[in-house]
Amino acid sequence: MQPVGRGRADCESAVYWPHHKLRSFRSAKVWIALSVIAPLGMLTASAFMLFDLRQDAWERSEQTSKNLLQVLERDIARNIEMYDLSIQAAADNLKTPGVAEIDPQLRQLILFDRAATARDMGVMLVIDERGDIVADLDAIPPRKGNYADREYFQVHKARASLGLYVGRPITSRLTGERMLPFSRRISKSDGTFGGVVLGSVKLSYFTHLFQQIDLGRESGINLYLNDGTRIMRHPFNEADIGVSIAGSSTFRGFLSEHSGSFVRTSARDGVERHYTFTRIGSLPLILNVAIATDEIEAEWRTKAFVIGGTVLVLCGLTVALSLLFGRELRRREAVQAELERLSQTDALTGLPNRRAFEQAGSRAWEQGRRDNGFLSLLIIDADHFKRFNDRYGHQVGDEVLKGLARCLSTSVHRPHDLVCRVGGEEFCIVMPDTDQAGALRIAEKVHAEVANLAIGSSGIGVGAITVSIGLAVVIPSDADSTSMMALYRFADAALYEAKAAGRNQTRCARSQGIAAAPQKPLLQIVGRPKT
């Protein structure tokens, strides 16, 4: 068995208080954690809600764009079909025998009978193989002009099986208006090139059609040829008409499939937009609705700002109030812990008091019983203490008691050894896991420390103060009924023996009245005077 070491004067706190304080601190920490987790939960729920709102905004925008595209595509396809029917009718009627020799007015009626009701029709002409106008929907006799240099004329001349050709936007040489040309080839009876039937739709048709729709300042509607040439843009900008964007990533996205949608940054102005697009029937035309992503999320951002701001404010208030409450809770717990500590602390010496001794002693007893280890108890009493009080007064007596407390605390070193003042001039030291030899060494050290104690302010010199010590050692067992208080009585009896034998010495408990366990003695008892 190793000799016991010293215990601090506030050893009681090492035995009992840390665990209690830890429980109190944990309860405060749990409250603070909950006060933080709750707002975080609110923020998380709000974030999911705002995310859903954002998704809804995008889904509504995409559905609106698809519906808009469907309406515009049907209108444009229907009108172009009407223009094409008029062009085909004129080409077919030219094949009627004798039509070239009849009266010009009647010939015009025959050639353009279906074109009269076509909405937004521009010019409609029959052009011969030399490029000259031979029939004009709007004039009798036809207006003069040669169109052999026009793209549509050259294309039909080179390709006999082309069918309907939709050309790039042009400015009419007859009216000066911007138009989109549609044309079909006229073939002679031998299959050779006989000219072109030209029809055109005014670009103002698309302007009027698109301008009824308000998508936002950064959004727009575009109509392209499949070679990337822009036919019309809304909002209208003259400089954009006829410009090709064939090399842009945006247009490559349009060519990837018949219809669809994607988000991309515009090559024209650098604005990120959500593009929804579709081909117009089998025509070489691509229609798209482009909505700026900022405008899609504008309403959502307003809601997010209001909702997010409100939740943040509420969470901030919750956290602040919770922290204030937690601080108050910790303060109250600290006050409660301090009061409990004071209830177990001797006010004069600062040592644990009798209540702390009883609680710590019971725990040490149970620990010894579980570990089958030694438990030693020293009871220390100041010799002739009443004389100091009578001769020097109670104030000096208090200084003596404080000096004794320091001596006892200096004599032990192990944190689980407990030094207590149990009343008056009586102190005790509880030493778990300490056998009789170790306890005697501590008793000797106590005598040595007290022998050097002096109260200089009162003229009490070294050696004037002495103590008597009673010692009892036990190995707690499940088979015995002895308690810590019985051990105290045994040590107290040994203390009285030390007093009776002349004081300033240590006596160990005798065997009278001490029960023994069947396998090993309950108390190890020796008697050796301290000289």
Side-chain angles (χ1 to χ4, degrees):
M1 182 63 65
Q2 296 296 322
V4 294
R6 71 178 291 270
R8 298 178 304 213
D10 58 346
C11 176
E12 162 270 347
S13 61
V15 175
Y16 174 72
W17 293 109
H19 182 68
H20 177 70
K21 287 181 177 179
L22 186 59
R23 289 202 306 269
S24 299
F25 182 68
R26 282 178 177 171
S27 64
K29 285 184 66 176
V30 168
W31 174 259
I32 293 172
L34 290 176
S35 71
V36 174
I37 291 173
L40 287 177
M42 293 172 61
L43 288 173
T44 302
S46 299
F48 277 113
M49 181 181 69
L50 291 176
F51 177 78
D52 286 341
L53 289 175
R54 183 176 181 272
Q55 289 295 104
D56 289 342
W58 277 87
E59 290 173 3
R60 286 197 304 271
S61 175
E62 183 163 3
Q63 189 59 49
T64 299
S65 297
K66 288 180 178 179
N67 293 340
L68 183 58
L69 277 179
Q70 188 177 34
V71 172
L72 295 176
E73 189 268 338
R74 287 178 179 176
D75 193 285
I76 294 171
R78 183 174 61 252
N79 279 282
I80 291 179
E81 182 182 12
M82 292 174 60
Y83 303 150
D84 188 33
L85 288 174
S86 298
I87 293 170
Q88 287 188 65
D92 291 340
N93 290 337
L94 283 171
K95 298 176 183 178
T96 303
V99 71
E101 290 80 20
I102 62 175
D103 179 74
Q105 291 185 345
L106 180 60
R107 183 176 59 184
Q108 187 182 40
L109 290 174
I110 294 173
L111 292 177
F112 305 122
D113 63 331
R114 297 184 184 178
T117 59
R119 184 165 60 107
D120 295 305
M121 176 69 80
V123 298
M124 187 169 182
L125 307 171
V126 176
I127 302 170
D128 65 14
E129 66 271 23
R130 295 182 300 275
D132 295 325
I133 301 175
V134 295
D136 186 346
L137 172 65
D138 297 317
I140 301 175
R143 289 167 287 189
K144 301 298 182 180
N146 185 276
Y147 294 88
D149 61 332
R150 289 292 197 185
E151 177 195 27
Y152 53 82
F153 187 88
Q154 298 295 329
V155 170
H156 283 298
K157 186 176 182 179
R159 298 172 60 184
S161 60
L162 182 60
L164 179 68
Y165 178 74
V166 182
R168 296 184 178 89
I170 59 174
T171 299
S172 173
R173 293 173 180 172
L174 299 177
T175 66
E177 295 181 271
R178 297 295 295 270
M179 298 183 181
L180 184 66
F182 300 89
S183 56
R184 282 185 176 272
R185 174 188 169 106
I186 300 172
S187 296
K188 295 181 180 181
S189 58
D190 59 358
T192 59
F193 178 65
V196 172
V197 178
L198 171 68
S200 63
V201 59
K202 299 175 183 178
L203 292 189
S204 58
Y205 158 67
F206 300 107
T207 302
H208 296 152
L209 180 64
F210 294 165
Q211 72 182 5
Q212 302 174 49
I213 303 165
D214 182 15
L215 297 176
R217 186 171 57 87
E218 297 290 344
S219 302
I221 304 173
N222 293 275
L223 181 65
Y224 297 97
L225 288 171
N226 60 4
D227 65 357
T229 302
R230 182 184 278 111
I231 297 172
M232 179 54 62
R233 180 183 186 277
H234 172 70
F236 180 78
N237 186 342
E238 179 67 30
D240 290 333
I241 307 305
V243 174
S244 176
I245 64 164
S248 69
S249 62
T250 303
F251 191 75
R252 289 196 294 271
F254 297 153
L255 296 178
S256 62
E257 50 189 326
H258 185 272
S259 62
S261 62
F262 55 83
V263 175
R264 204 153 295 172
T265 300
S266 170
R268 174 180 175 273
D269 54 15
V271 176
E272 184 183 70
R273 294 183 174 90
H274 178 256
Y275 293 91
T276 307
F277 65 93
T278 186
R279 302 289 182 94
I280 298 179
S282 59
L283 298 171
L285 298 174
I286 300 173
L287 179 67
N288 81 74
V289 174
I291 301 180
T293 55
D294 283 345
E295 293 173 352
I296 294 175
E297 297 181 354
E299 183 179 355
W300 171 81
R301 280 196 300 270
T302 301
K303 293 180 179 179
F305 178 79
V306 174
I307 295 173
T310 302
V311 172
L312 284 175
V313 170
L314 292 176
C315 288
L317 289 174
T318 301
V319 171
L321 292 174
S322 298
L323 291 177
L324 288 174
F325 185 81
R327 186 177 68 178
E328 179 65 17
L329 180 62
R330 289 195 302 274
R331 189 188 68 81
R332 291 188 178 186
E333 288 178 347
V335 170
Q336 183 179 359
E338 180 64 15
L339 291 174
E340 190 168 352
R341 187 189 70 81
L342 292 174
S343 73
Q344 299 193 44
T345 302
D346 178 59
L348 177 64
T349 63
L351 294 177
N353 60 15
R354 189 178 188 92
R355 180 183 178 192
F357 162 71
E358 291 174 354
Q359 293 180 355
S362 296
R363 288 195 297 272
W365 183 276
E366 289 300 318
Q367 185 65 40
R369 184 178 58 80
R370 288 194 298 269
D371 298 341
N372 198 29
F374 289 99
L375 175 61
S376 295
L377 176 65
L378 298 180
I379 296 181
I380 303 99
D381 188 83
D383 294 333
H384 305 295
F385 181 72
K386 188 174 183 301
R387 295 179 183 178
F388 293 105
N389 278 337
D390 293 341
R391 181 175 178 180
Y392 300 101
H394 289 284
Q395 186 173 0
V396 174
D398 290 345
E399 292 300 320
V400 171
L401 293 176
K402 291 179 183 177
L404 288 174
R406 290 192 298 272
C407 292
L408 297 180
S409 297
T410 305
S411 301
V412 295
H413 295 272
R414 298 189 307 178
H416 56 274
D417 292 339
L418 180 66
V419 179
C420 298
R421 182 189 179 198
V422 293
E425 66 274 20
E426 188 173 299
F427 300 82
C428 68
I429 302 177
V430 180
M431 295 175 290
D433 196 26
T434 302
D435 61 8
Q436 179 179 289
L440 283 172
R441 282 192 289 272
I442 295 300
E444 292 170 359
K445 189 170 184 181
V446 170
H447 284 296
E449 291 289 340
V450 173
N452 293 320
L453 176 62
I455 311 297
S457 60
S458 302
I460 301 175
V462 172
I465 303 172
T466 62
V467 294
S468 298
I469 302 175
L471 184 154
V473 181
V474 69
I475 300 177
S477 170
D478 292 331
D480 70 68
S481 58
T482 308
S483 67
M484 184 65 187
M485 296 315 296
L487 181 64
Y488 179 86
R489 289 193 298 271
F490 301 148
D492 191 54
L495 171 65
Y496 277 101
E497 288 185 13
K499 291 281 189 181
R503 295 182 171 83
N504 192 24
Q505 60 183 282
T506 299
R507 285 298 179 92
C508 297
R510 296 177 180 275
S511 60
Q512 286 83 359
I514 300 175
Q519 299 301 324
K520 58 174 67 175
L522 177 64
L523 297 176
Q524 303 295 322
I525 305 162
V526 299
R528 186 175 70 84
K530 171 69 178 178
T531 59

